[in-house]
Amino acid sequence: MAEMMITDHNPALIRRSRWRQLRAKTLAPYVFVLPFVAIFLAFSVYPMLFTLRLSFTRWHGSGAATWVGFGNYTYLLTNPSFWASMANSGILWLLIVPAQIIVALVVAVLLNSAKTRLRGFYRTAFIVPFVTPLVAIAQIWVVLFDQNYGAINAGLNLLGLPNIGWLTTSAWAKPTLALLFAWKTTGFIIIILLSGLQSINAAVYEAASIDGATPYRQFWQITVPLVRRTMMFAVVLQTLAVFQMFAEPFVVTQGGPYGSTTTAGYYLYNHITRADLGTGAANSFLLIIFVMALSLGFVRLLRAKD
Amino acid sequence: MADTSSRPRAARMISTVGRQGLLLVLTLAFLGPVVWAILSAFKPANSIIRNPLSIDVSQFTLANFAEMFHDVPIAHGFLNTGIVLVVKGSMTLFFAPLAAYAFAKFRFLGKNLLFGAVLITLMLPTIVLIIPLLLEMKELGWVNTYQALILPGSIDAFAIFWMRQVIEVVPDELLDAARVDGCGEFRVFWSIVVPVIRPGLAGLAVLTVMNIYNDFVWPVVAASSSRMATLQVMLSTLSQQITGNKIGADYATVTGELLAASSVALIPLLIIFIALQKHFINGILAGSVKG
Amino acid sequence: MTIHIGRVLGLGVLTIATTLVAGCGGPSITGGDGASAEGRLQAPDTASPSGEITIWDREGDLFQVFEATIAEFNKKYPDIVVHHEAVDIASKLQNTLITGADVPDGVFLDDQLVAGYADHLWDLSDVLKPYVNDIAQQKLDVNSLNGGIYGVPFDLDPGLLFYNQTALEQAGVDASAIETYDDLLQAARDYKKAVPDSGPIHLEQAAFLGQLQLEMYASQLGTSIADAQGALRLDSPEYEQILGFLDTVSKEGLGTRAEYLSSTDVETLDSGKQVFYPWAIWFDFAPTQLLTNTSGDWRAMELPAWKAGGARSGAMGGSSFILPKDGKNSQLAWLFYEFLMFDEAGYTAVYGPNSVYPGGLNTSIPSYVPAANPDKPLFEPVAGMGDQDLWAVATAAGEQIPGSAPIPAWWSGAVDYLGNNLQKMLDGTMTPRQVIDQSTTDIQTNLIDRQ
């Protein structure tokens, strides 16, 4: 911590005020984090402990719970549908995150350029899906992607392509859902990346230009490396969001067809609607551990290259 | 991007047309469905389902809105959302930067552990805690109260995380100078840190408003009584009728009401966002994670 | 962004240690009253009951219908105040019952969900005693569990065969001759010959509704997914026959595969490509409100029989009213439902003309037999169906629905297995035999064994 600048010449006064400040500085952080800690203990830790205990029991919401040890965990870990739900989320992640980050980065670069007109308009336009209630959009999605009479397939037909069962085949339902999720969240990612871009010193580009670097090379050799941390931050945020994804399959596909859009979050919800609360709790902890490991992995990856 | 004045004019034209073209296409893709949802709200209810793709201005009607205002106490929903928004929003906007200040500028015992707690809170899926939280609300006697809607999640972990990034870049010299002038630690926060991070706070404010306004997973279960229903709870009550299994008959009307209610719910947020968009963007820029 | 593995793990270890050492983590797991033997509701014994009740209904048309009946109820019981709320029941009921806080006195609930909540509900055997002999057997059965009755039966939803009479006539197909499912197949083949790009019979593509329709077919044969003891009975000649029929429709190209009233469904119904719709009575909403070109062309008849002389209808869907034990005024709520279901003024108010249904509520019929009198229609002929007297058709069909078995608590969960496998059969990737075997194994391991 930086040394204080001494302006007063009375040593006793300095000592006394220093001591008081030191004491304040020791106590202050505890006071400052106290409200958060209180809320955290009351509404996160306490219910989490309950969930943990619940995960070792069989309980359907009434009567006494039966202790089953690791029964719920072994049931899940040996159950193909648990792994299928994790795989579904994994595939959705692959469909969403890389493409979304790339598109968002390109758009952010364009919006960061002083030569682009209407930047304020575009920023607002791209964030609108993020603030629109999902339930209203779900209806539109179902209609747009109808197999025989939807606008998307009508467009394909114009190009001489056959109809696609967007929401009725397990092969296409994931991309369709991924598109909805990307549509809803890309605006937010654009803004986050924009914030990273703004922190790059313009002088770096000027120097590169003088050296004759093309915009394409500048993008790969300056922009991408310099916003890598911001990108990683966005990737971690989106990873959390994709593995917790619940509302999108809930309102559009109800996890179908054939469970192909039963995400990790939706699978967990299924236990809860069946009042199989012990299994639901165990599933929660498996999911938390997995997501945590994944996030730590990304951070490791990031730091290894720093 | 870099200065390209050395390139021929034609190339620059192409690049300008290209970038505007790309952005325009994206704008259509992003705004299209929203515009569609809003326009559909003005269509006769059965034609929303019957001819979902057609937009016929001559058929436009306010019937869905009339039905919705008749069936859904949406003004009461706005009131509840407003109360939650003000209290919960203020708590996040005050306590999150305060905690973030401690994490960014102090060394204290248990700091790492507590910051780990922030990160874990960030990773907890909401649905995980619903049943335990509800049982807790019951023990506290808080079911169907504003406390239940407001307190859980009221000091948002993401907000702390973000504000820590923002406050870290505030120069230590500035804080120390204030301390030398005899400021207490809270005064340092209030008179030095807050003004410096004001743009970041503005960004946080908009994001917090959006999150609280659109939150429905917890409010739906915490407020079982219609007296406590927030706007989003009302929307989800409507949507339950049509997104689930469609048993029963009359979901055309409900679809119309849902789209009308969604449009009404969206408008205040859009106004807030457009009015504050400069602050919001600048705020996020101020909170940039340094590359 | 910095995350130290150590500090995260540290917190995790601390959390687990606290739980194990303290031996208590969070609120106690007790829930409701548990297994109290005295769970049978009694009618109130006062002459002028008074108090307040909270009633939950699903948002939509039925909420409006019930809202309008409260005034009638108050004519008989002026001192009972009804708080009527439109609630997202699917999201809220379970949580409310588990926590036992602010529990409503009465709730409108889909029949297939009743058994799952039975632990939290009043056994209504005693109060229903005066009426049980007059309630459709199927509705009593689905609300029963281990000798108790856990819901006040509301509507009966007979399956009917909806058909586009105009289109069939033009193709020279006589619908009135259809008596068995074999006849239906033949009629579909004939129609397909006349209109080659058609798929005359509806094949449901939504897993949930597909399973619900499957249970309608099974109900005709007096069977269902599980018997009264909760044991699976999919592996039976009845299910083989039904799945075989659906498989034939699919394989011969006699079906239109679509989700109930999706764009594809509506367009094919309205263009004469889909002309047979075996569905519950509530399909009548489509010709009334959605089908513009063919409105007026549709008629309904009893379902075909599985073999000549067999029952001509089965139940599909339906709802009842449950009374949670934690409700404050359950006895008064019983009076409310008793009035609506079993008092002539009540059921007339429910089914008769009202502001939502000017011709009366025609999407189901009462399950209380005296109310479902073929000679005393409660709702009027349906305009979208050429002014056909749907009441007469539906009540005649309703009388034929065989008794049934309780719907198991895990019924909705079975959609992930049976419902999905049925769709795979329609895709052509599973045989009827595989559907039965695979669903039986999956439901046993994932649902029954985990109760």
Side-chain angles (χ1 to χ4, degrees), chain B residues 35-83:
Chain B
V35 172
W36 201 332
I38 294 174
L39 288 181
S40 293
F42 291 94
K43 290 167 64 172
N46 64 348
S47 117
I48 298 172
I49 292 174
R50 187 62 184 76
N51 300 306
L53 299 178
S54 80
I55 298 288
D56 180 357
V57 182
S58 68
Q59 279 199 341
F60 272 16
T61 159
L62 290 173
N64 294 323
F65 290 88
E67 290 249 10
M68 188 271 292
F69 281 116
H70 179 260
D71 293 350
V72 183
I74 197 160
H76 197 70
F78 270 111
L79 178 72
N80 283 335
T81 295
I83 291 171

Side-chain angles (χ1 to χ4, degrees), chain B residues 235-251:
Chain B
L235 288 182
S236 104
T237 304
L238 284 173
S239 75
Q240 183 221 346
Q241 181 74 349
I242 43 178
T243 56
N245 301 311
K246 292 195 237 175
I247 297 187
D250 183 42
Y251 71 95

Side-chain angles (χ1 to χ4, degrees), chain A residues 212-235:
Chain A
T214 63
Y216 180 78
R217 277 193 57 188
Q218 288 178 18
F219 177 77
W220 284 110
Q221 299 195 336
I222 301 175
T223 312
V224 172
L226 285 180
V227 292
R228 211 177 71 232
R229 276 182 71 101
T230 318
M231 278 167 67
M232 209 36 98
F233 175 67
V235 167

